[in-house]
């Protein structure tokens, strides 16, 4: 018999055709395999048992980097046995094949890299069908060498032989190359003058001497310095205009990570995250007495560490033999510099670079480990542009434009959502360019022509303004916290209804005030605001986000009214500017109030003298979490009036403890547990009143694992099932997915 088989999913650029070729040979089948815009097409002819064995194996034993979505089979008339071969790609029709994310260097390639007898010994671009660049070098689909930035390099005889040999690990590996035919690594000074000698050895020597080195990686240029050199790290901070936000550190191997961070207890999930093909930055508790310079992560108990993920990183890490800072090469807030001409503007002393162009800029992904499970904080390299499969379909293609900070967009069609990589904050021309360019690139790659555009209700978000300029699409506005909860539902493949607990920074509410501590009875289509934190004034609007002491003033005046609290340090420290802000609290515009949980954290952080002003988003809350004594279990009592949580109760309790001279570590812990308990009380009330048994947790505040753990435990104690994020971040990086599924659900409901 002869069958025509179609395989959809991430099946291009992952060694799928050689895999099928191997199966056909094993089962003695003749026929063909090839790529087209939809994925992989196969025709096989032979005994029925052998054909079905191949079909079975195609989905069961797919290569490591493949993700098979769908296999369909139809019978066709036999044409007679003529061997099995791989046929050229067929171009045409709207592309629907999925593009593989970039993957860390595999063990086989790593062994070659450090084998003096191998022809790719110390060659920084070694790769194979199981690893290497993908999304970052792909310019179009179907995925063939001509559709990548490798097209300028023609294979030498040896590489071409590997590429053509179905038994070789490099069979049809599009980026295959070697020192004779592939890209070349160079090291040059900031004035462009070449630095003689082996580029890797010389680069390591420069790092050892305290220099700032630009390194061209997979998705862009990074800046590197010796992570144990205080002066070098401080110099990098100054040149990058970076405040206190932590730098990530690349460690040569797992043993080195163990010297820097505490891996015990939650080790298996940590090791899986650190060593997997996605190779994200993993946030881990730093080990006391580690040699990492203080200014790598000031005021932070955690350290973001990652292992080498390209051959170049492996070479450099081994040559240097110590951890080094590896941070996106950009000005703060701008996207990572991925073009060579943008990299020239980087404030580096030397550049370790090469001539393989990067097509798509891509930051490193960041994850946390919560109870031995990987939780995404920033979704980029290793994840994008893999689709998120959903158990429902979008009637029409959707473009969702996301929020403002931690921007992503999402294109959705069929039952797939393609969430873009993290793009940064949409605050400047460069990020807005990256956003618009990214949308265009995704539309081409996946052949999606959006007919619906989803956007945040905030009229000032640049993503909203962008959405409303698009012609010929139906606009659908989605409330920010509804999008958060919907993103958690989509993440879990559930339609709701649930009690959505959105603990967040700020988002535009449907009543024109600023929301951010919301209990929503929600499904994908809509929501009802069933509870929230008690609103307080937000003196100065967005200025209060940058200046947490203002939120301390707002909460103190709300909690105490005319009572005297002048004895508090936060008042003394901000004496000169306090009266003006107190006046704003008393007489500010009525709609300038907020129910934000993030702002409550800010207020407590300022009260404890941790942060009066911040240099990066969420800093006051992050440092408050880190301050909390993990040994303290009890929390402050908080009144929940119906389903409204009185944050001012927490403020009064904090002030009481402060006046008694209680340690800030204890106060911070009691605050977390008190808030968690109040959230649990209000959530269970909403659940009971609405006959719901499931809660979905989302919003940036849930990046706080101390709070998350306490809320999860509390809700489970009350018998609720709890949905958490696994595939997209709980912060605004997940908003675009939430908007997309809401728009899709409304579209379905309207039919
Ligand atoms: Zn490999
Ligand atoms: Zn070659
Ligand atoms: Fe948000």
């Amino acid at each position: 018999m002869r069958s025509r088989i179609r395989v959809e999913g991430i099946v291009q650029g992952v060694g799928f055709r050689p895999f099928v070729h191997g199966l056909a040979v094993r089962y003695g089948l003749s026929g063909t395999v090839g790529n087209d815009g939809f994925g992989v097409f196969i025709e096989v002819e032979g005994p029925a048992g052998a054909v079905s064995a191949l079909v079975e194996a195609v989905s069961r034993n797919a290569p490591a980097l493949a993700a098979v979505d769908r296999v369909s089979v139809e019978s066709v008339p036999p044409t007679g046995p003529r061997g099995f071969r791989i046929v050229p790609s067929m171009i045409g029709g709207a592309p629907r094949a999925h593009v593989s994310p970039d993957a860390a260097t595999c063990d086989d390639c790593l062994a070659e890299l450090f084998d003096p007898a191998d022809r790719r010994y110390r060659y920084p671009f070694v790769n194979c069908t199981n690893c290497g660049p993908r999304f970052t070098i792909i310019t179009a689909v179907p995925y063939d060498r001509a559709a990548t930035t490798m097209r300028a390099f023609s294979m030498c005889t040896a590489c071409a032989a590997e590429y053509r040999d179905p038994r070789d690990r490099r069979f049809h590996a599009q980026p295959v190359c070697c020192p004779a035919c592939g890209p070349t690594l160079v090291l040059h000074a900031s004035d462009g003058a070449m630095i003689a000698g082996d580029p890797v050895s010389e680069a390591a020597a420069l790092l050892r001497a305290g220099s700032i080195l630009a390194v061209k990686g997979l998705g862009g240029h990074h800046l590197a310095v010796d992570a144990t050199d205080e002066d070098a790290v401080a110099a990098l901070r100054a040149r990058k205009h970076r405040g206190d936000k932590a730098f990530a550190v690349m460690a040569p191997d797992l043993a080195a990570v163990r010297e820097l961070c505490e891996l015990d207890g939650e080790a298996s999930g940590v090791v899986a995250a650190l060593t997997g093909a996605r190779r994200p930055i993993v946030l881990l508790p730093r080990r006391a007495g580690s040699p990492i310079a203080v200014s790598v992560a000031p005021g932070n108990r955690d350290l973001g560490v990652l292992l080498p993920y390209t051959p170049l990183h492996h070479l450099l890490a081994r040559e240097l033999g110590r951890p080094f800072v590896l941070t996106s090469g950009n000005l703060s807030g701008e996207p990572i510099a991925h073009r060579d001409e943008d990299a020239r503007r980087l404030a580096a002393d030397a550049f370790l670079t090469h001539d393989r162009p990067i097509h798509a800029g891509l930051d490193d992904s960041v994850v946390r480990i919560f109870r031995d499970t990987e939780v995404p904080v920033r979704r980029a390299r290793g994840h994008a542009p893999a689709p998120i499969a959903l158990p429902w379909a979008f009637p029409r293609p959707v473009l969702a434009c996301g929020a403002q900070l931690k921007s992503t967009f999402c294109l959705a069609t069929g039952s797939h959502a393609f969430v873009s990589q993290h793009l940064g904050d949409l605050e400047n021309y460069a990020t807005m360019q990256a956003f618009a360019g990214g949308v265009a690139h995704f539309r081409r790659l996946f052949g999606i022509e959006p007919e619906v555009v989803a956007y945040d209700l905030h009229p000032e978000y640049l993503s909203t303004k962008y959405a409303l300029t698009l012609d010929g699409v139906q606009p659908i506005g989605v409330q920010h916290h509804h999008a958060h909860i919907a993103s958690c539902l989509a993440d879990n493949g559930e339609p709701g209804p649930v009690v959505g607990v959105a603990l967040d920074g700020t988002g535009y509410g449907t009543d024109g005030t600023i929301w951010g501590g919301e209990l929503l009875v929600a499904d994908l289509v809509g929501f009802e605001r069933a509870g929230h934190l008690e609103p307080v004034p937000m003196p100065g609007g967005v200025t209060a986000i940058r200046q947490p002491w203002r939120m301390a003033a707002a909460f103190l005046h709300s909690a105490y009214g005319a009572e005297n609290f002048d004895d508090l340090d936060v008042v003394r420290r901000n004496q000169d500017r306090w009266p003006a802000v107190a006046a704003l609290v008393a007489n500010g515009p009525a709609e300038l109030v907020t129910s934000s949980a993030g702002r409550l954290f800010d207020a407590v952080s300022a009260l404890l003298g941790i942060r009066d002003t911040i240099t990066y988003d969420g800093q006051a809350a992050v440092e408050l979490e880190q301050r909390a004594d993990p040994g303290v279990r009890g929390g402050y009592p908080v009144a929940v009036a119906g389903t409204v949580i009185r944050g001012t109760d927490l403020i009064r309790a904090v002030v009481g403890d402060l006046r008694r001279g209680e340690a800030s570590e204890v106060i911070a812990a009691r605050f977390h547990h008190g808030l968690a308990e109040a959230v649990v009380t209000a959530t269970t009330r909403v659940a009971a009143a609405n006959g719901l048994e499931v809660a979905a947790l989302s919003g940036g505040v849930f990046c706080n694992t101390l709070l998350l753990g306490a809320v999860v435990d509390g809700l489970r104690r009350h018998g609720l099932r709890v949905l958490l994020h696994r595939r997209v971040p709980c912060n605004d990086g997940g908003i675009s997915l939430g908007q997309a599924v809401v728009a899709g659900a409304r579209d379905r409901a309207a039919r």
Side-chain angles (χ1 to χ4, degrees), residues 333-336 361 363 379 406-409 420-426 431 434-436 438:
E334 288 196 4
I336 187 168
D363 273 297
R379 187 183 174 278
K406 302 180 176 67
S407 163
T408 62
F409 61 83
S420 78
Q421 69 271 35
H422 164 90
L423 297 167
D425 300 342
L426 294 185
T431 31
F435 179 90

Side-chain angles (χ1 to χ4, degrees), residues 136-169:
T136 52
I137 61 165
I138 291 176
T139 54
V141 287
Y143 174 62
D144 272 327
R145 192 163 174 116
T148 74
T149 63
M150 283 297 291
R151 73 178 153 266
F153 302 92
S154 46
M155 281 179 233
C156 68
T157 323
C159 286
E162 291 170 327
Y163 182 88
R164 280 195 302 262
D165 180 358
R167 289 153 308 178
D168 196 279
R169 204 173 87 245

